[in-house]
Amino acid sequence: MPRSWAVLIHTVVISLLPASYAAAGKSTYDLRPQPKPGEIVRVEAQIEVGGDVKLAEEGKTRSLKMSVAGKVVYDEKNLAGRGTAEGARTVRYYRDAQAVIKIDEGGIEPKLRDDRRLIVADEADGRATLFSPNGPLTREELDLVDLPANSLLLDRLLPDQPVRVGDHWRHPDALMRELLGLDAVSENDTKSDLKEVTGTRARIEMAGRVLGAVGGVATEIEVKAKYRFDFNERRVTGIGLLVKEKRAIGHVNTGLDVVAKLQMALAPAEDGDELVDDKLAGVSLEPRTERLALECLAPTKKFRIYHGRDWHLMTDAGDMLALRYLLQGELVAQCNVSSLADVEPGKEPSLATFQHDLERSLGESFGRYVEASESTTSTGHRIYRVIVEGRVSDLPIQWHYFLVADRAGRLAVFAFTVESDLVERLGDADEALVSTIEFAPPPASGEPTRAASRRGATKR
């Protein structure tokens, strides 16, 4: 064979191989990702969590056994003009999303509603946020889809320059904060090592320890992972993640001593028809404030509210909702929301009666009225707003009370409790929350109310 032919054949072969093979003689590999705008990827993830949750009861810590088994399957599409740099955004369609969560002898099985299967993963200011353009998620739905090792972020684990087998690179605090769902990172020694290159795949391992905070309390995490890079697809195509976490008891979260295992595989979607351009035409994927709100249905099902993500649901049992307002890890306020017995339209109690009832319920804690007013919203809701100052165990407190009545005579009461020196931090978050209330439609004419149905059953 003429030498020139051999050179030509060698040149052609090299041109057909992945770019990293061109550097094989130097044993260096280019693992930098090349995202393809518009490509649709099928993501399948399974997560298992086991360990203890910790509660504070009367000054003592109580531990309860817990376990989680979850599965999500979704198609994900990179939006045009977006990549792995800051500000990445993808749109997803969830084909499956479910979990079984057991704590002590109880448990729940959250699922994603059919009309919330379209989800946007949006990154801004170093935070990845999930929301549905079709309407607010519940807190349970958000927790179901907001997994560690967000697929939006996986390619950030790759090195930003060619590496050799045996080389390692460190991961910045900002990446680990996002990847593990933390509010802040104080210490981080995580790094990845290129372990092996076989055919068109590179095998990489990550390990390290992260100290940080979430929900205003400290957490300690040991993380190990194995992930693979495909030279043809130019991205991470799978990861196995092991997380051991010890988290202190917080204002809005239980303490944790758990081990979590996640397996995630990514491959080109063969039938990602829900994310084709025609299906997304006319759908706004921008993270508007109303889309980031979370939906919360009262236990009585008489009303629902929509709250920002700084509000955290603590209780939705009995006839009351209890939420806490957390800003940058600081507990600012608590809000209890409950419904009252329905009255005839226009027969709601007067503002003076409402004040009298509040003063009586506060007892010796009552100090003075700061404000008492009433207004009517554009939706026809009449609202009484009463602010009271007082003391609890010598601590200055403000209570912000709102009585909301609709045109059908349905009533709800919001009671906000805030330390006096935190009132400025609360700002108008109380009024903003109250303004979101939506009462359920009243029973149809001739249809018995729930209370009437119970009375009838008693008579029989």
Side-chain angles (χ1 to χ4, degrees):
M1 178 187 295
R3 181 176 178 181
S4 59
W5 289 15
V7 172
L8 177 62
I9 291 172
H10 176 76
T11 302
V12 172
V13 169
I14 290 298
S15 70
L16 295 175
L17 290 174
S20 62
Y21 280 66
K26 298 180 181 179
S27 299
T28 61
Y29 301 91
D30 186 355
L31 307 182
R32 288 172 291 189
Q34 295 178 4
K36 304 171 186 176
E39 180 185 30
I40 302 175
V41 175
R42 175 68 52 82
V43 181
E44 299 187 16
Q46 292 187 332
I47 187 167
E48 297 180 358
V49 184
D52 297 324
V53 296
K54 299 181 181 296
L55 309 173
E57 293 183 350
E58 298 179 353
K60 297 181 180 179
T61 299
R62 181 186 177 195
S63 296
L64 301 174
K65 289 294 180 184
M66 67 86 71
S67 66
V68 177
K71 177 183 179 181
V72 297
V73 179
Y74 57 89
D75 296 334
E76 184 166 40
K77 180 179 183 178
N78 270 322
L79 298 182
R82 299 272 183 161
T84 57
E86 288 291 313
R89 182 186 293 169
T90 63
V91 60
R92 303 172 177 176
Y93 180 80
Y94 280 76
R95 298 182 174 272
D96 192 11
Q98 55 185 298
V100 177
I101 303 173
K102 297 180 179 179
I103 300 178
D104 198 22
E105 298 180 357
I108 59 173
E109 296 185 17
K111 293 183 179 180
L112 192 62
R113 288 171 289 175
D114 288 343
D115 60 356
R116 297 296 189 270
R117 292 181 180 272
L118 190 67
I119 300 284
V120 174
D122 180 83
E123 187 179 32
D125 301 322
R127 303 283 178 180
T129 302
L130 303 184
F131 67 92
S132 174
N134 293 332
L137 300 170
T138 66
R139 177 68 71 173
E140 285 184 355
E141 288 175 319
L142 177 61
D143 291 344
L144 180 62
V145 299
D146 195 7
L147 299 177
N150 188 333
S151 55
L152 178 74
L153 307 171
L154 289 184
D155 285 341
R156 308 271 182 88
L157 293 171
L158 298 168
D160 58 6
Q161 58 186 5
V163 292
R164 297 179 174 85
V165 172
D167 283 355
H168 67 264
W169 55 95
R170 296 192 176 277
H171 300 300
D173 292 354
L175 174 60
M176 298 311 298
R177 185 192 69 236
E178 284 193 84
L179 203 71
L180 298 173
L182 304 178
D183 294 332
V185 169
S186 56
E187 293 184 28
N188 164 36
D189 63 5
T190 56
K191 64 182 180 67
S192 283
D193 297 83
L194 177 57
K195 291 294 186 181
E196 180 183 38
V197 175
T198 305
T200 61
R201 289 185 174 181
R203 181 171 62 86
I204 308 163
E205 295 185 6
M206 176 178 70
R209 178 169 171 264
V210 179
L211 300 182
V214 59
V217 297
T219 188
E220 178 181 341
I221 296 176
E222 292 182 22
V223 57
K224 293 182 179 180
K226 295 180 179 180
Y227 57 104
R228 60 181 179 269
F229 173 84
D230 188 286
F231 287 104
N232 289 329
E233 296 185 35
R234 302 302 305 176
R235 56 180 169 77
V236 173
T237 56
I239 186 170
L241 179 70
L242 176 69
V243 172
K244 297 181 180 180
E245 181 174 9
K246 292 184 178 181
R247 183 187 301 181
I249 300 172
H251 298 300
V252 297
N253 294 314
T254 59
L256 296 175
D257 188 351
V258 298
V259 176
K261 299 177 182 178
L262 178 134
Q263 294 287 338
M264 182 179 289
L266 302 89
E270 298 179 357
D271 55 346
D273 50 308
E274 296 294 338
L275 298 180
V276 297
D277 291 343
D278 287 347
K279 283 287 185 72
L280 296 178
V283 179
S284 173
L285 305 178
E286 295 299 319
R288 298 174 182 168
T289 301
E290 64 271 17
R291 292 174 177 167
L292 299 181
L294 298 179
E295 177 183 341
C296 187
L297 178 65
T300 59
K301 295 183 170 55
K302 286 188 174 183
F303 64 87
R304 69 185 68 232
I305 59 174
Y306 300 89
H307 59 84
R309 301 190 183 190
D310 290 327
W311 285 102
H312 300 264
L313 180 64
M314 306 301 297
T315 303
D316 61 351
D319 61 354
M320 184 182 71
L321 294 172
L323 303 98
R324 288 183 176 176
Y325 187 50
L326 213 66
L327 282 181
Q328 299 175 332
E330 182 180 24
L331 177 61
V332 175
Q334 175 153 327
C335 175
N336 295 337
V337 194
S338 57
S339 55
L340 302 181
D342 296 350
V343 299
E344 292 183 23
K347 298 294 185 180
E348 62 271 4
S350 66
L351 177 58
T353 300
F354 183 49
Q355 289 180 258
H356 176 73
D357 291 343
L358 295 178
E359 188 171 342
R360 184 176 57 185
S361 67
L362 287 173
E364 295 181 357
S365 297
F366 177 84
R368 71 181 185 95
Y369 291 113
V370 176
E371 179 184 329
S373 61
E374 61 180 287
S375 60
T376 302
T377 70
S378 59
T379 58
H381 293 166
R382 178 174 292 182
I383 299 179
Y384 298 157
R385 181 173 186 256
V386 178
I387 298 179
V388 178
E389 281 185 350
R391 305 184 76 86
V392 175
S393 300
D394 291 329
L395 183 66
I397 297 290
Q398 270 198 12
W399 292 275
H400 297 192
Y401 293 100
F402 297 80
L403 174 65
V404 185
D406 77 344
R407 290 170 174 155
R410 290 166 298 180
L411 306 175
V413 174
F414 292 74
F416 297 85
T417 303
V418 55
E419 294 181 18
S420 296
D421 60 357
L422 294 175
V423 169
E424 287 189 8
R425 296 216 68 191
L426 177 63
D428 61 357
D430 52 351
E431 294 181 85
L433 184 62
V434 173
S435 70
T436 69
I437 189 169
E438 291 181 357
F439 288 96
S445 178
E447 179 183 338
T449 63
R450 182 181 300 178
S453 298
R454 286 199 296 266
R455 287 195 296 270
T458 302
K459 290 178 181 179
R460 287 194 301 269

